[in-house]
Amino acid sequence: MKNILNNDNFLQQMTYEATLVWLFNQLPMYQLQGASAYKKDLTNVHLLMDYLGHPENQLQCIHVAGTNGKGSCSHMLASVLQESGYKVGLYTSPHLKDFRERIKINGVMIPEDFVCDFVNQHQVFFEANDMSFFEMSVGLAFDYFAKEKIDIAIIEVGMGGRLDATNIISPLVSVITNIGLDHTQFLGNTLGAIASEKAGIIKSEIPVVIGEYTPETQPVFLATAKANQSKLYFASDLITTTYPSDLIGDYQIQNKKTVLQTLAVLNQHTNFRTTELHWKKGLSQVVKNTGLQGRWQQLGKMPKIICDTAHNTDGLAVVLNQIQKESFDRLHFVLGVVNDKDLDEVLPLFPTNAMYYFCKPAIPRGLEVTILAQKAAQYELNGKIYNSVSEAYENAKQNAHASDFIYVGGSTFVVAEIL
């Protein structure tokens, strides 16, 4: 396949599906491959921006980093700004079903033709310079947003911050939602070390909003902001009132505070203006305005079925606590994870009084289901092994009564397969 896709004549005729095969398989993609796809410097992305004529310099941006909540915050910000009448670009990752979910304008995904034309036009450069999947995706987004002359872009960090390919922009405001122990093999194994990496998006004299902080992370943010002469806002201390949202997970309470503080900073420091009416309407229609999926998303009523993309210790702790607030007779978990997950940190969070349907997400990074089941048994989490996510999900639905509760998660990729 690779030899065929390297053929110039074939590439000129590539369908959208064939273009995705080339993007996903020829170049490193962290979503599928994990550590082997991670690059530790920005040399390539600077080279790519030079080549593309620096589309990032034509954009006004909000840059969003953090361990959890950055996707939700990015979509909330986009929704409010859309309600305010702006043409809003939104770049997020990973996607659930379609690569184009990563790049949207006012909730509409980038056209397939634009993706194909971009890859076709620049393939030789990409191959000559060993561009990664994420670097190409960032270049595609910035090029598309610039050509479409958007008013403002919400740019979500892929991983970390300091060395993330998105960290070539000079934003209107930087946002860091929170810090947790995730991707420790890349970002460090303490909250302070991870905070330092994520604080790498703080730029000189550009205001920064911190969603949540701990005694270990606050000094890092204070020191980095001071060194950059950046005005610092701790949303959890400043915002006392929020508004209802169609994103109803418990973890959205703090995300809404982060978003509202960011909007207040925009009003104070930039020419972008939003009102309380825009905040209320935008927060209430995030899914409608942006197409966001997988955040405490209800898939069924009797039994109640919820899926959620929470996948690390901090995110899962909040979600599992919310499950315990539900009323049900029996609890069913459709559970799969990726192979770099610290199971000794994650599995103790799950309740033992539940039926588990173990599965492997259909990506190279998926953890073998037998390993997951064996490890889960050590924590008294018992259930059956299934050959696929869909098989596990169907069996959970067949076994559950109308008064039961089914949760689907453990990994973004498990959720993606059942949506």
Side-chain angles (χ1 to χ4, degrees):
M1 174 65 78
K2 187 172 180 179
N3 290 334
I4 294 174
L5 292 179
N6 278 334
N7 182 283
D8 288 341
N9 291 331
F10 179 81
L11 188 62
Q12 290 173 5
Q13 302 169 28
M14 281 172 72
T15 63
Y16 175 63
E17 290 74 19
T19 301
L20 293 187
V21 170
W22 187 85
L23 282 169
F24 293 166
N25 293 341
Q26 180 159 315
L27 299 170
M29 180 184 180
Y30 180 80
Q31 182 172 345
L32 297 179
Q33 296 165 257
S36 64
Y38 184 63
K39 290 193 175 182
K40 293 188 175 182
D41 68 69
L42 299 177
T43 302
N44 260 22
V45 75
H46 281 296
L47 185 66
L48 178 57
M49 292 303 115
D50 285 341
Y51 167 76
L52 294 175
H54 289 285
E56 80 282 8
N57 292 341
Q58 301 176 44
L59 305 177
Q60 298 195 82
C61 304
I62 300 172
H63 204 189
V64 184
T67 300
N68 293 306
K70 57 184 182 291
S72 292
C73 285
S74 295
H75 285 79
M76 287 181 186
L77 285 166
S79 181
V80 171
L81 287 163
Q82 286 172 224
E83 291 293 346
S84 305
Y86 295 110
K87 187 176 183 179
V88 184
L90 178 61
Y91 177 76
T92 59
S93 62
H95 62 273
L96 289 175
K97 301 298 292 183
D98 187 334
F99 166 78
R100 297 181 303 136
E101 295 168 28
R102 295 168 178 254
I103 305 169
K104 298 179 180 179
I105 294 177
N106 283 9
V108 179
M109 294 188 293
I110 183 173
E112 293 182 358
D113 287 349
F114 196 101
V115 177
C116 296
D117 291 344
F118 182 83
V119 171
N120 180 46
Q121 183 178 353
H122 306 303
Q123 182 213 8
V124 173
F125 177 86
F126 294 153
E127 292 183 334
N129 293 282
D130 192 28
M131 289 289 154
S132 74
F133 169 86
F134 194 75
E135 288 161 349
M136 288 192 302
S137 300
V138 169
L140 171 62
F142 291 173
D143 186 65
Y144 178 58
F145 292 158
K147 284 184 168 61
E148 289 296 313
K149 302 186 186 309
I150 62 169
D151 296 314
I152 190 169
I154 317 298
I155 306 297
E156 180 192 351
V157 168
M159 185 198 303
R162 182 175 64 93
L163 298 176
D164 188 77
T166 64
N167 199 29
I168 55 169
I169 58 176
S170 181
L172 300 169
V173 56
S174 302
V175 180
I176 302 174
T177 58
N178 52 53
I179 303 297
L181 292 174
D182 198 19
H183 302 305
T184 53
Q185 68 270 46
F186 307 113
L187 306 179
N189 55 16
T190 67
L191 293 177
I194 295 172
S196 293
E197 287 297 313
K198 295 186 186 293
I201 71 165
I202 298 175
K203 304 294 196 306
S204 178
E205 299 183 359
I206 292 173
V208 55
V209 173
I210 306 298
E212 299 174 85
Y213 63 87
T214 68
E216 195 171 353
T217 63
Q218 187 181 35
V220 175
F221 297 137
L222 289 168
T224 308
K226 183 178 180 180
N228 285 279
Q229 297 182 300
S230 300
K231 181 72 173 175
L232 186 63
Y233 300 84
F234 290 107
S236 57
D237 295 341
L238 295 170
I239 301 296
T240 58
T241 302
T242 63
Y243 307 102
S245 175
D246 56 343
L247 303 183
I248 57 175
D250 284 356
Y251 51 83
Q252 302 296 1
I253 296 171
Q254 185 55 51
N255 289 337
K256 287 188 288 186
K257 291 183 179 181
T258 305
V259 166
L260 291 172
Q261 183 59 56
T262 302
L263 293 167
V265 169
L266 277 183
N267 279 349
Q268 181 180 348
H269 292 281
T270 76
N271 293 324
F272 288 92
R273 294 288 181 269
T274 58
T275 67
E276 185 179 20
L277 180 62
H278 298 140
W279 301 351
K280 290 180 177 179
K281 193 170 182 182
L283 289 175
S284 70
Q285 299 188 126
V286 180
V287 174
K288 177 183 175 183
N289 287 343
T290 70
L292 178 64
Q293 296 190 82
R295 272 63 170 186
W296 196 261
Q297 182 173 345
Q298 186 166 344
L299 304 177
K301 292 184 177 180
M302 297 179 66
K304 187 171 185 178
I305 305 173
I306 295 290
C307 69
D308 195 280
T309 56
H311 58 276
N312 55 42
T313 304
D314 291 342
L316 283 168
V318 176
V319 167
L320 292 170
N321 181 64
Q322 185 169 356
I323 290 174
Q324 295 304 322
K325 298 176 184 178
E326 296 282 336
S327 297
F328 51 79
D329 286 340
R330 290 193 307 164
L331 184 57
H332 306 257
F333 280 92
V334 177
L335 187 65
V337 298
V338 292
N339 57 22
D340 54 2
K341 192 61 56 186
D342 187 342
L343 296 180
D344 291 313
E345 290 286 334
V346 169
L347 290 176
L349 301 173
F350 285 84
T352 56
N353 60 337
M355 172 62 72
Y356 287 84
Y357 304 77
F358 298 111
C359 52
K360 173 188 174 182
I363 59 168
R365 286 177 63 208
L367 179 68
E368 290 299 329
V369 66
T370 52
I371 297 175
L372 174 60
Q374 290 168 3
K375 192 70 175 178
Q378 296 177 19
Y379 293 97
E380 300 182 47
L381 309 179
N382 299 306
K384 294 183 178 180
I385 291 173
Y386 294 92
N387 293 320
S388 67
V389 172
S390 59
E391 183 183 4
Y393 181 51
E394 289 304 319
N395 274 269
K397 289 193 292 184
Q398 290 172 16
N399 292 339
H401 297 150
S403 56
D404 290 352
F405 186 99
I406 300 174
Y407 177 83
V408 182
S411 165
T412 299
F413 312 110
V414 171
V415 173
E417 289 189 46
I418 58 96
L419 284 178

